[in-house]
Amino acid sequence: RQQYAEAAVRFEAHLANSPNNAAANHGLGLCRRMLRMPVEASRCFTLSMRLDRSMSNLVPNLLQRAQCMRMHGDREAALCDINRVLLLDAMSSSAMHLKAIIMIEIAQYEAAIGVISGAISIASDDPHHWVVRGVCYEKLNDHEASIRDLQRAVVLAPSSASVYYSLGNGFAALNRHVEAIQAYDRCLSIEPTLTACLNNRGHLHALLFHNEKAIADFDECIRLSPNQPAAFANRGAVRKRLGQSREATVDLERALELYDERQHQNPRNGFVRYSKGEVLRNLGRYQEALVELEHAVRLDRSCAEAYMERGFVFIELGQGSLAQEAFDQAIKLNPSCMYHRYLSINLLQTIS
């Protein structure tokens, strides 16, 4: 951030003397976008386009402004700019890439595959295109296709942490936990401070009952990102399993506080409500958990994890038939995830 802040100061000084310099306005916009100032950056890109209407200037500024609009949460405006780019340059794989990402964010996965496949046909040597299509396939529960694309990305970018992270997520979705951990290991060897990867690897270690490794990953994740609710929730769950009741409660209560903050920022985020439900279950507050999980499935009917979590709550309440219904719905939504089926059979046996 420091280098972008310093560069922004230099561009501002230059523009104080030459305000009609399109290139300097573009440069200042880039700095402000990297400093996560999307509104201010957008103004710079808009001014640069007003000063220079050539296609060579319009295309990069429109793409950068689209990035800013996406960052600001205005996906409609972002797509408008991207479509303008594609009218000017129908072969812009960068525009297709960004358009596909936005389509993923609004759950238009099949359309996103069509767009990103176009980018691959133009620039098949770009690993990020393969990653995006792999994510699309994962969202559609076509995990084998996802792995194929992600492995192709690894071949193209063997030193990219983000590619190994995505590959790990793909293996995890197939419950190929050992291979997922290996991919996460490779990712963290390249970028050891990637907290999302630390949290995911810790979660898999927990599933495999590698408790010490799991807690070590969650500890490091929290050290690097103290306001990461998932790491507190996951560490609390492992500590509960180990009988560390006091420490577990502290972690789970902290996770709940952080999820409450996120819910306040975005009340319609179903994943946050699901996550709160999971934390409340681990705290033994089962009726509150069911309320949060009901909100989660209302907001996102496709969230298999929320239905699975409801099943766990019903197990704790000794309500086997309701648990089975919840697990069946989870399996229906995500039939390739055999972990749901394994849990539903084995947990139901404990109360039958």
Side-chain angles (χ1 to χ4, degrees), residues 229-230 233 252 255-256 259 262 269-282 289 292-293 296 303 305-306 309:
L252 294 167
L256 200 58
Y259 279 129
R262 294 196 177 188
N269 188 323
F271 183 78
V272 168
R273 304 302 287 261
Y274 147 70
S275 300
K276 286 180 64 180
E278 183 181 27
V279 172
L280 287 164
R281 175 179 64 81
N282 278 312
E292 291 297 335
L293 294 166
C303 184
E305 292 81 3
E309 190 60 36

Side-chain angles (χ1 to χ4, degrees), residues 96-293:
M96 294 175 191
H97 182 94
L98 182 55
K99 185 173 184 176
I101 289 174
I102 294 174
M103 286 179 165
I104 291 172
E105 292 172 346
I106 59 178
Q108 295 183 6
Y109 306 126
E110 292 180 354
I113 287 175
V115 172
I116 199 62
S117 293
I120 289 172
S121 69
I122 295 167
S124 61
D125 60 343
D126 188 327
H128 300 100
H129 298 336
W130 294 93
V131 169
V132 169
R133 196 170 71 174
V135 170
C136 290
Y137 283 128
E138 181 186 338
K139 295 292 185 181
L140 291 170
N141 293 324
D142 190 347
H143 300 300
E144 296 292 348
S146 174
I147 291 294
R148 285 197 300 270
D149 276 358
L150 293 170
Q151 287 177 326
R152 176 62 178 163
V154 166
V155 171
L156 292 168
S159 299
S160 170
S162 64
V163 168
Y164 281 103
Y165 172 67
S166 297
L167 181 61
N169 292 342
F171 281 130
L174 283 170
N175 301 312
R176 292 163 61 174
H177 298 150
V178 173
E179 291 165 283
I181 288 173
Q182 290 172 346
Y184 290 147
D185 287 345
R186 186 74 181 95
C187 169
L188 290 165
S189 72
I190 299 168
E191 191 173 336
T193 60
L194 188 59
T195 55
C197 190
L198 282 164
N199 182 67
N200 288 6
R201 187 177 69 176
H203 179 64
L204 292 186
H205 279 311
L207 288 178
L208 296 172
F209 292 89
H210 302 160
N211 297 318
E212 290 185 3
K213 290 182 178 180
I215 288 179
D217 276 346
F218 299 139
D219 285 346
E220 181 65 4
C221 184
I222 290 167
R223 185 187 72 80
L224 293 167
S225 182
N227 295 320
Q228 169 62 267
F232 281 104
N234 288 330
R235 189 173 69 178
V238 175
R239 285 175 163 173
K240 179 184 176 183
R241 175 200 295 167
L242 294 173
Q244 300 171 3
S245 300
R246 185 182 64 81
E247 295 88 344
T249 299
V250 170
D251 275 349
L252 294 167
E253 292 285 3
R254 179 56 180 154
L256 200 58
E257 290 174 3
L258 293 168
Y259 279 129
D260 280 337
E261 292 175 9
R262 294 196 177 188
Q263 181 184 328
H264 180 72
Q265 295 167 1
N266 186 0
R268 297 194 59 78
N269 188 323
F271 183 78
V272 168
R273 304 302 287 261
Y274 147 70
S275 300
K276 286 180 64 180
E278 183 181 27
V279 172
L280 287 164
R281 175 179 64 81
N282 278 312
L283 284 167
R285 292 157 59 177
Y286 303 127
Q287 294 302 328
E288 292 175 74
L290 287 175
V291 170
E292 291 297 335
L293 294 166

Side-chain angles (χ1 to χ4, degrees), residues 37-68:
M37 301 166 63
V39 175
E40 295 84 350
S42 293
R43 294 191 187 116
C44 294
F45 297 130
T46 300
L47 181 54
S48 179
M49 287 187 283
R50 287 176 184 167
L51 293 168
D52 181 356
R53 305 292 296 177
S54 68
M55 192 174 104
S56 61
N57 190 59
L58 286 175
V59 167
N61 277 288
L62 284 167
L63 279 174
Q64 291 296 332
R65 192 170 68 178
Q67 292 269 29
C68 293

